[in-house]
Amino acid sequence: MPVCAVVIRAYNEAQHIGRLLEGIRHQTLRDVEVILVDSGSTDATVAIAKRYGVKITHIQPQEFTFGRSLNYGIREATAPFIVMASAHVYPVYPDWLERLLEPFEDAQVALTYGKQRGHAVTKFSEHQIFRRWYPDQSIPRQPHPFCNNANAAIRRALWEQHPYDESLPALEDLAWARWAQAQGYAISYVAEAEVIHVHRETWRGIYNRYRREGMAFKQIYPHERFGLRDLVRLWVSNVWNDWHVARREGVWRREWWNVMRFRWAQFWGTYQGYRQSGPLTWALRQTFYYPQSTPPVVSGREERQRDVAPIPYHEVEDWEV
């Protein structure tokens, strides 16, 4: 039996998926099954996956939700641990899987998730979000259910008890983690399990992503509110925070307008999502919305380095972004 299965959701990801599959090939953990859930790709996504010997299953585009796609993939897996990876992430280090699975030595850990960092094409404000959500220090047992299925792992036995919610438009990971904590299980954040997350979205795409997540958040926490006052306050505070970081990094002139547009798309989308669809803990509110009081003075790979050599990726045409 494989140690773990990596389940990848994809739709037209030919630009990125080769790099992820190459990164999996370089892992210190060898006994791994890889499952691609394709939701109707019309580019070379499936062909690239076949070159790597990936097991492929299909879901019709009209059936797709994030939770349903994951459930399709996990049903195909035989391993006791399931790793979820977005098709447009790739691991930085060859011990990514090993580190991500390490906390499962504790039988009470139901879910782990790893660090994410942006790519050269990532918008400035999203870099700040990644730094806020995914710190350099691991958290063996975090007090709230925040996690992200772009880089996470769960116990298959627990998924069999409680599959992902297929009705949610997003945040199926948060809903599952909330259920696991309610059963007395723990969630571990693993800073060493690092991936690069390539987001190259239009402004409309950013708005739609946060609108979708706002709708899902409202379904998970029905009594939560996000009004115009929240929108304005959070937009102003996050713009100010990002500007402060941009000044310290010497890029304010280039980024000031992009920061305003990104944060507006984020919080206007969230506001619209709440309008269209439980009590939110302070820890979760901070994690999702609030900037750090003291902005980090770091940029790109100036962050904490590990003693492990990164994976030596070789560029090929299908991976270029």
Side-chain angles (χ1 to χ4, degrees):
M1 182 182 293
V3 175
C4 72
V6 181
V7 176
I8 306 166
R9 298 173 292 196
Y11 173 74
N12 286 348
E13 293 282 4
Q15 276 190 312
H16 306 113
I17 196 168
R19 186 182 287 252
L20 168 59
L21 296 175
E22 187 68 16
I24 294 171
R25 178 181 283 179
H26 278 80
Q27 291 300 298
T28 52
L29 203 61
R30 296 294 183 183
D31 197 5
V32 176
E33 59 180 335
V34 184
I35 299 164
L36 173 70
V37 184
D38 184 75
S39 52
S41 293
T42 56
D43 65 2
T45 298
V46 173
I48 294 168
K50 285 179 178 177
R51 293 207 298 265
Y52 282 87
V54 172
K55 185 175 185 179
I56 299 168
T57 187
H58 299 274
I59 183 172
Q60 294 300 314
Q62 61 270 24
E63 294 180 54
F64 179 87
T65 66
F66 292 109
R68 183 172 297 144
S69 181
L70 282 178
N71 288 339
Y72 266 58
I74 297 171
R75 286 189 194 102
E76 299 294 323
T78 60
F81 301 107
I82 307 296
V83 173
M84 277 76 64
S86 167
H88 46 269
V89 307
Y90 59 91
V92 177
Y93 298 106
D95 63 349
W96 163 58
L97 289 175
E98 201 174 330
R99 293 291 188 165
L100 194 61
L101 298 181
E102 222 167 42
F104 289 122
E105 292 175 8
D106 180 347
Q108 287 304 111
V109 171
L111 180 153
T112 72
Y113 69 104
K115 183 195 290 184
Q116 297 181 39
R117 288 294 179 261
H119 186 270
V121 301
T122 301
K123 290 181 170 55
F124 184 85
S125 290
E126 186 133 41
H127 280 295
Q128 311 319 310
I129 290 172
F130 283 148
R131 291 170 183 169
R132 174 59 174 163
W133 287 0
Y134 310 106
D136 282 340
Q137 294 76 36
S138 295
I139 307 171
R141 285 174 174 257
Q142 71 175 31
H144 54 77
F146 173 79
C147 60
N148 191 286
N149 270 347
N151 179 23
I154 61 171
R155 293 183 186 273
R156 193 183 195 283
L158 290 179
W159 171 85
E160 289 172 352
Q161 295 179 34
H162 187 80
Y164 283 105
D165 188 335
E166 299 185 0
S167 69
L168 290 170
L171 301 184
E172 79 295 333
D173 39 19
L174 174 67
W176 197 91
R178 185 174 179 237
W179 169 83
Q181 282 191 324
Q183 310 309 305
Y185 290 98
I187 295 169
S188 291
Y189 167 66
V190 187
E192 293 79 14
E194 181 176 356
V195 300
I196 302 299
H197 195 150
V198 185
H199 260 160
R200 195 172 198 173
E201 296 173 301
T202 64
W203 297 113
R204 183 70 181 179
I206 295 166
Y207 163 80
N208 283 334
R209 172 157 57 100
Y210 284 101
R211 175 173 168 268
R212 184 174 63 236
E213 291 184 358
M215 293 171 66
F217 212 97
K218 183 67 174 175
Q219 285 181 241
I220 298 168
Y221 296 96
H223 302 297
E224 177 61 11
R225 299 288 183 268
F226 190 97
L228 284 172
R229 183 177 297 179
D230 297 302
L231 186 160
V232 172
R233 177 166 48 85
L234 291 170
W235 180 73
V236 169
S237 63
N238 280 271
V239 166
W240 182 257
N241 182 79
D242 291 355
W243 278 358
H244 186 55
V245 177
R247 287 190 186 97
R248 297 184 73 161
E249 295 185 359
V251 296
W252 185 82
R253 289 181 181 276
R254 187 181 73 214
E255 297 291 351
W256 71 272
W257 178 240
N258 291 331
V259 165
M260 293 179 70
R261 291 189 72 182
F262 182 95
R263 293 300 187 176
W264 181 255
Q266 177 187 9
F267 293 116
W268 180 244
T270 301
Y271 172 74
Q272 292 294 340
Y274 271 70
R275 289 184 67 193
Q276 294 181 42
S277 325
L280 187 61
T281 67
W282 173 239
L284 259 180
R285 182 181 285 272
Q286 284 185 305
T287 300
F288 272 100
Y289 299 131
Y290 285 88
Q292 290 174 282
S293 56
T294 305
V297 189
V298 291
S299 178
R301 300 308 305 159
E302 293 175 13
E303 299 175 30
R304 183 171 65 89
Q305 299 294 300
R306 296 184 57 205
D307 293 333
V308 180
I311 296 171
Y313 289 102
H314 301 288
E315 297 291 344
V316 298
E317 186 177 351
D318 286 332
W319 301 346
E320 290 181 357
V321 294

